[in-house]
Amino acid sequence: MSAPGSDLAIEPGPGVPRGLVVRASELVERFSRSPGPGGQSVNTADSRVQLELDLTTSDAFDEAQRARLVARLGEVVTVTASEHRSQHRNRVAARDRLAERIREALAPPPPARRPTRPGRGAKERRLRAKRERSQTKSLRGQVRGEE
């Protein structure tokens, strides 16, 4: 969890072996009134937070990382947090959400699936199930009226 107003720390993970730090000066925070039901102070607190990072100008990423991020997220990443009543908690939530999106976008794609064929046991189970279903249906027969 990174504190509002400080640098954004991205924890190590797939594609980010040593983690990253995005300087606070590269982040743009905007505040507005949160939608939804309110109480006494509904029109006084700008608690919704919109956090924005321009990936093309950020110094936190190398060229390969920047290319992968821009391909997956676009040139500017924007996240919004408005689930909490306090601006501070929404700022923390927005920073965590941005760090998670960047970490997921930097992760390498999963390995390609190697096509396989069903084994003998799977084929036998399938055919046995088909035989049993066929037998169940054959027992139904036609309904004949009393003559």
Side-chain angles (χ1 to χ4, degrees), residues 1-129:
M1 216 163 70
S2 60
S6 64
D7 294 342
L8 177 67
I10 300 170
E11 296 177 8
V16 192
R18 291 180 298 279
L20 292 170
V21 175
V22 178
R23 291 193 325 261
S25 61
E26 297 177 355
L27 301 171
V28 177
E29 283 183 320
R30 290 189 200 93
F31 306 102
S32 61
R33 292 196 177 100
S34 223
Q40 291 178 329
S41 60
V42 67
N43 291 326
T44 60
D46 291 342
S47 60
R48 183 171 73 178
V49 177
Q50 193 172 23
L51 188 62
E52 191 174 280
L53 173 65
D54 188 354
L55 298 172
T56 58
T57 60
S58 177
D59 296 331
F61 313 107
D62 61 28
E63 289 305 315
Q65 289 172 333
R66 183 175 290 112
R68 178 176 272 168
L69 285 170
V70 169
R72 291 186 177 180
L73 299 176
E75 292 184 357
V76 178
V77 183
T78 305
V79 295
T80 305
S82 62
E83 61 268 15
H84 302 291
R85 290 177 65 178
S86 89
Q87 186 185 83
H88 176 76
R89 288 181 65 191
N90 281 331
R91 289 176 79 186
V92 171
R95 287 170 168 272
D96 292 344
R97 199 170 295 150
L98 179 62
E100 184 63 29
R101 285 191 63 191
I102 290 172
R103 190 170 42 255
E104 287 175 3
L106 285 174
R113 182 188 171 275
R114 199 176 86 209
T116 58
R117 303 178 90 169
R120 191 171 84 195
K123 287 180 188 175
E124 290 173 0
R125 285 189 298 274
R126 182 178 142 269
L127 292 174
R128 185 177 344 106

